[in-house]
């Protein structure tokens, strides 16, 4: 735990917050399913997992990133800042941040999920990063949360010389330029608690398909479009 705190740049006064941030819902489910004493109420779905911390971490990330972008690009307006922000808080970028801090080995997941490779899934890694940020915020406030984001996302923001195009827009422009039909999006699955839903969206274009997973339908469509662009461009 100490080595992870070193990579995060934050020493937790409440280590339980960090443990919760690293707990996938599969591990929490097994713990909650253990035999209970008589009349002990059943745990709510997801209780003890990192879902609640992910919820607040997502909001903290949005605020801190918006603040940073305003500071770094003082001459840009919302039309350029919006795509920058959307890219930097996207699942693929969060997953790369997780891999950069060697997060997969320390995630607490159920054994069967570990065998299935859940620790390497982009959405699981992204959720864990948001949960860690939420834990840092609750443990120390906005300043250490801001310091964590600026250190962990520095490479990503420096590499962003020009505002990126939204993946949905880029995919649409790509197919139109080739006289192909517009991309078709389809909702594959919606699950998760009401405060942290999980959308799985599929997109088909140019005879190929891809899926995206995110906490909103719009973000999942964007993730699907980005994955399909990687396949066809």
């Amino acid at each position: 735990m100490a080595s992870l705190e070193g990579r995060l740049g934050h020493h937790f006064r409440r280590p339980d917050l960090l443990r919760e941030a690293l707990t996938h819902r599969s591990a929490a489910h097994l713990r909650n399913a253990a035999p209970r004493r008589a009349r002990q109420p059943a745990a709510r779905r997801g209780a003890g997992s990192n879902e609640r911390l992910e919820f607040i971490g997502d909001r903290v990330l949005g605020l801190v990133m918006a603040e940073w972008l305003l500071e770094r690009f003082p001459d840009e307006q919302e039309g350029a800042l919006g795509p920058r922000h959307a890219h930097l808080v996207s699942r693929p970028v969060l997953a790369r941040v997780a891999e950069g801090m060697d997060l997969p080995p320390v995630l607490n997941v159920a054994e069967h999920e570990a065998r299935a490779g859940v620790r390497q899934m982009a959405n699981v890694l992204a959720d864990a990063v948001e949960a860690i940020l939420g834990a840092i915020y609750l443990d120390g406030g906005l300043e250490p949360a801001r310091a964590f984001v600026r250190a962990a996302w520095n490479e990503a923001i420096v590499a962003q010389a020009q505002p990126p195009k939204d993946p949905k827009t880029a995919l649409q422009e790509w197919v139109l330029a080739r006289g192909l039909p517009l991309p078709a999006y389809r909702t594959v699955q919606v699950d998760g608690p009401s405060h942290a839903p999980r959308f799985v969206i599929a997109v088909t274009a140019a005879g190929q398909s891809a899926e995206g997973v995110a906490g909103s339908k719009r973000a999942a469509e964007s993730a699907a479009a980005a994955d399909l662009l990687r396949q066809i461009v």
Side-chain angles (χ1 to χ4, degrees):
M1 194 73 73
S3 61
L4 177 59
E5 287 182 327
R7 297 196 296 275
L8 299 178
H10 179 72
H11 176 69
F12 279 83
R13 294 175 294 179
R14 295 173 53 192
D16 58 300
L17 283 171
L18 181 55
R19 284 193 291 270
E20 183 178 336
L22 298 173
T23 302
H24 185 254
R25 61 181 173 178
S26 63
H29 173 73
L30 289 178
R31 184 169 63 246
N32 294 332
R36 300 175 175 277
R37 291 190 294 271
R39 291 187 297 222
Q40 184 176 357
R44 294 184 301 275
R45 181 183 178 187
S49 75
N50 60 11
E51 290 178 354
R52 285 173 59 84
L53 291 175
E54 174 202 343
F55 170 74
I56 192 168
D58 174 72
R59 276 68 182 174
V60 173
L61 177 60
L63 170 63
V64 170
M65 191 60 69
E67 171 191 70
W68 193 9
L69 288 170
L70 284 175
E71 174 189 311
R72 186 173 178 85
F73 304 102
D75 297 326
E76 290 188 355
Q77 300 302 311
E78 192 277 339
L81 294 171
R84 288 189 187 277
H85 188 279
H87 172 73
L88 290 166
V89 302
S90 68
R91 287 292 187 255
V93 173
L94 267 70
R96 289 199 295 273
V97 168
E99 291 166 351
M101 64 179 67
D102 198 23
L103 196 57
V106 299
L107 292 181
N108 180 17
V109 304
E111 185 176 345
H112 67 283
E113 294 280 19
R115 290 196 299 269
V118 74
R119 285 192 177 100
Q120 281 69 46
M121 293 177 61
N123 62 305
V124 172
L125 293 174
D127 290 348
V129 169
E130 289 181 335
I132 287 172
L133 177 57
I136 292 173
Y137 171 75
L138 292 178
D139 189 67
L142 190 57
E143 190 53 43
R146 181 185 291 116
F148 167 68
V149 170
R150 293 200 175 199
W153 270 259
N154 184 67
E155 182 178 337
I157 201 168
V158 167
Q160 209 182 68
Q162 297 296 324
K165 284 187 177 180
D166 172 76
K168 290 183 65 177
T169 300
L171 179 59
Q172 180 172 308
E173 291 179 353
W174 190 90
V175 297
L176 287 176
R178 289 156 180 79
L180 299 172
L182 289 173
Y185 294 87
R186 176 175 58 88
T187 301
V188 176
Q189 184 177 351
V190 181
D191 59 19
S194 58
H195 70 270
R198 175 178 175 273
F199 291 82
V200 181
I201 302 292
V203 61
T204 300
Q208 298 192 53
S209 298
E211 288 189 357
V213 181
S216 71
K217 184 176 181 180
R218 180 178 177 180
E221 288 177 344
S222 183
D227 189 41
L228 185 53
L229 280 169
R230 284 191 290 269
Q231 296 180 37
I232 63 179
V233 174

